[in-house]
Amino acid sequence: MKFIIAFACLLAVAYANEDANVLRSEAEVNVDSFKYALELDNSVNVHQQGEQQGEQWVVKGDQAWTSPEGVPVSIQYLADENGYQVLAAKPPLPTPPPIPEAIQRALDWIAAHPPKE
């Protein structure tokens, strides 16, 4: 399953960069692990590796490219049983606004009064 996701990501990158030439493309797929690297001549550089740890997959990777405005962009991430986590991003990713006070009070009330079965 993870191979399909990784392949789909590579396919999306390739489709979005139709005019780009591949400088490097490496892939290794095993039963309990995989890794790949892709580098295009338009500054796209992608690495990902994953391994199965028991029933869970742990996937680490990074992506880098230059935006149309000429700004270098990069993301490092980890995906595991806790979900997708951005470890580093340049420029920094936007953060959500704070939860409004009335909404937070409502959430606190709901947490303190769970439904009765």
Side-chain angles (χ1 to χ4, degrees), residues 41-116:
D41 66 355
N42 64 352
S43 81
V44 171
N45 199 342
V46 180
H47 299 92
Q48 188 176 59
Q49 64 183 25
E51 71 176 30
Q52 193 170 14
Q53 295 180 353
E55 293 291 317
Q56 303 292 326
W57 278 89
V58 176
V59 179
K60 298 176 184 177
D62 60 81
Q63 301 175 0
W65 65 94
T66 301
S67 74
E69 298 79 23
V71 177
V73 179
S74 64
I75 296 175
Q76 293 178 333
Y77 59 89
L78 169 69
D80 59 13
E81 68 271 6
N82 298 315
Y84 178 85
Q85 305 154 55
V86 175
L87 303 176
K90 180 183 171 187
L93 295 175
T95 57
I99 298 173
E101 185 179 332
I103 300 296
Q104 187 60 56
R105 280 195 317 266
L107 292 171
D108 292 342
W109 190 90
I110 291 169
H113 300 88
K116 296 179 181 173

